[in-house]
Amino acid sequence: MQVQDLIAAAKQQTGLSDLGDERIHQPLQRLVQALNDEAKLNEGGIQRVEANLIATLSNRLRVEDYLAQHPQLLERAVEKPLFVFGLPRTGTTLLINLLSMDPARRCFLRWEALDSVPPPQPEELHAGQRYDKCQEMTELALKYAPHISAIHHEEADSPTECQFAMSPSFIAQYYDSMYHVPSYHRWFLQEADYLPAFQFHKRFLQLLQAHVGGRWTLKNPWHPLFLDELTTVYPDAQLVMTHRDPVEVVASACSLWKAVRPMFSDSVDLEVIGQGLLETFDLMIERTLAFKAKHGWNSIYDLQYTRLMCDPVGEIQKVYDHFDEPIGVETKTAMKKYIDDNPKGKHGQHSYSLADYGLTTEEIRGRYRDYCTRFEIAC
């Protein structure tokens, strides 16, 4: 793969030429180089990766073109967005799905992350050609890769991770999880400038809110890596972090990567997956503690997975109380209905074991003892 060929294909596909911020070229080059040199992509993997990168570039071209034609959208504020994050597999999906039951909130939907222009009208959020196309893809995935849906399932109109508003800048954890790209992994964690990704992230939201307003309520487990950049772009952001026993977190997250990477490569090293995630989790915790040390312990609201699972609506009530905001009876009723309609294991059982990745319970307990103590995590 060559960067210039991918960009040329996206330009030909869209008839557009302006990708906006020139700073996307370095991360895109790093990613493509790592994919070529390290990812050990099989033939199908190469085709899928190329299609994904061209689609991402095409969507970015359309976003930039629409904003160039409607510059007034960039004058509209994104006020007090709420960001849900935490180590992956700590309940962020349940939390964002329940928060999306509040009609005053605006979530970033799976289909609109992939096919964003023109921005949706209210009636298009849960219907229409783009929704239908994405739902067909979702149903195919459920048919041919049910093990992935058992771990993490999204409908076309489900709230999705807002790192898909970062991926068009090619600075997103998504790429590190999907592919074996160790040089990109190191660069992403230690050298990358995350600010351009969040600046585009905001432009993306400003486009999508053109016809459908509401308080943006977003989730991306990986945001602890970039809290300083997030709050530079969104200084009034409300931050909620979920916490769970790291033994469960590590094993569950590893199993998701184990399920996804064989879609692109016939060579998947499970111990490499385990070590890569541990490095990432260490840094997420380190940067979270640094942010709290700088801004105060309560600058991030901490929510325990065990409590969320036992009393979801009661724990969400505490989130609303923390930010001094009301929650209506109708919203609570809708949340309870969502819980009833979506029991755990609805799309299959998810089993996992640390041993598959060369890890032990004792190792993880020792590594994250201080984290569990500081955040009072039940193990």
Side-chain angles (χ1 to χ4, degrees):
M1 288 182 292
Q2 299 296 323
V3 168
Q4 61 268 28
D5 294 338
L6 297 170
I7 293 175
K11 289 181 177 180
Q12 182 177 19
Q13 188 177 97
T14 61
L16 303 171
S17 61
D18 185 9
L19 285 164
D21 195 335
E22 291 293 320
R23 290 175 293 179
I24 72 165
H25 291 286
Q26 184 203 24
L28 177 57
Q29 181 61 54
R30 284 187 175 271
L31 174 61
V32 170
Q33 191 68 47
L35 287 165
N36 286 334
D37 295 346
E38 302 163 352
K40 300 179 182 177
L41 300 173
N42 56 32
E43 185 176 345
I46 293 172
Q47 293 174 355
R48 282 187 282 273
V49 170
E50 285 185 342
N52 176 275
L53 293 175
I54 292 169
T56 300
L57 285 162
S58 297
N59 199 45
R60 181 176 179 118
L61 284 166
R62 294 187 184 101
V63 168
E64 291 295 346
D65 178 67
Y66 194 91
L67 288 172
Q69 294 183 49
H70 303 84
Q72 72 277 10
L73 294 179
L74 297 173
E75 299 173 8
R76 293 180 56 183
V78 177
E79 295 182 355
K80 291 185 179 180
L82 187 147
F83 289 87
V84 171
F85 52 84
L87 302 187
R89 320 303 299 164
T90 56
T92 56
T93 299
L94 173 62
L95 182 55
I96 193 68
N97 282 327
L98 292 176
L99 289 168
S100 74
M101 297 296 104
D102 185 341
R105 297 188 178 275
R106 173 75 161 92
C107 290
F108 184 55
L109 306 183
R110 179 176 178 83
W111 76 259
E112 66 178 347
L114 303 174
D115 195 354
S116 314
V117 177
Q121 299 289 338
E123 66 274 13
E124 292 180 301
L125 288 180
H126 308 288
Q129 290 184 351
R130 288 178 290 175
Y131 163 84
D132 290 340
K133 180 180 177 182
C134 185
Q135 190 60 26
E136 287 175 9
M137 294 169 57
T138 299
E139 290 169 2
L140 280 174
L142 188 58
K143 180 178 179 180
Y144 292 106
H147 57 295
I148 295 178
S149 280
I151 303 171
H152 180 77
H153 180 80
E154 289 180 354
E155 299 291 337
D157 57 351
S158 292
T160 196
E161 295 179 5
C162 67
Q163 70 164 321
F164 295 113
M166 301 172 68
S167 59
S169 299
F170 304 98
I171 305 170
Q173 199 281 334
Y174 165 77
Y175 300 113
D176 188 28
S177 60
M178 297 286 282
Y179 320 118
H180 174 65
V181 282
S183 62
Y184 181 88
H185 167 82
R186 291 189 297 271
W187 172 83
F188 177 73
L189 292 183
Q190 303 294 347
E191 300 176 39
D193 178 4
Y194 305 125
L195 193 59
F198 277 103
Q199 290 168 336
F200 180 80
H201 183 288
K202 183 176 180 179
R203 292 168 65 83
F204 207 157
L205 298 189
Q206 287 171 312
L207 179 146
L208 293 175
Q209 69 184 12
H211 308 303
V212 184
R215 280 272 308 285
W216 280 107
T217 303
L218 306 156
K219 85 117 177 182
N220 177 17
W222 312 98
H223 279 325
L225 291 169
F226 3 85
L227 291 170
D228 288 337
E229 290 78 9
L230 186 159
T231 52
T232 295
V233 173
Y234 300 106
D236 59 350
Q238 298 176 341
L239 308 177
V240 177
M241 184 170 184
T242 51
H243 302 277
R244 184 184 183 187
D245 180 353
V247 169
E248 298 294 327
V249 169
V250 173
S252 182
C254 283
S255 73
L256 180 56
W257 285 24
K258 175 186 175 183
V260 168
R261 287 194 176 182
M263 296 171 61
F264 305 96
S265 174
D266 299 323
S267 177
V268 178
D269 188 321
L270 299 188
E271 292 193 10
V272 167
I273 286 177
Q275 291 304 312
L277 276 169
L278 292 181
E279 291 171 8
T280 306
F281 292 169
D282 290 351
L283 201 55
M284 291 170 73
I285 294 167
E286 176 186 322
R287 291 180 181 173
T288 298
L289 291 171
F291 186 88
K292 281 177 170 279
K294 183 177 180 180
H295 299 283
W297 190 261
N298 291 327
S299 58
I300 302 172
Y301 180 81
D302 298 301
L303 193 158
Q304 300 295 332
Y305 174 86
T306 51
R307 296 174 188 167
L308 178 65
M309 297 304 290
C310 288
D311 183 14
V313 178
E315 289 302 305
I316 288 178
Q317 174 74 68
K318 293 177 184 177
V319 173
Y320 277 74
D321 291 345
H322 176 78
F323 294 113
D324 195 25
E325 295 178 352
I327 178 171
V329 174
E330 297 84 357
T331 295
K332 287 186 177 181
T333 300
M335 289 178 178
K336 291 174 182 175
K337 185 177 187 304
Y338 176 88
I339 294 165
D340 291 340
D341 292 345
N342 296 274
K344 189 173 182 179
K346 178 179 179 179
H347 298 287
Q349 295 302 314
H350 177 204
S351 59
Y352 43 81
S353 170
L354 281 173
D356 292 344
Y357 311 94
L359 302 171
T360 66
T361 297
E362 292 74 19
E363 177 185 354
I364 302 303
R365 286 266 182 267
R367 189 176 187 126
Y368 296 112
R369 183 173 292 112
D370 181 64
Y371 165 62
C372 291
T373 300
R374 284 174 180 260
F375 289 94
E376 300 179 347
I377 299 169
C379 296

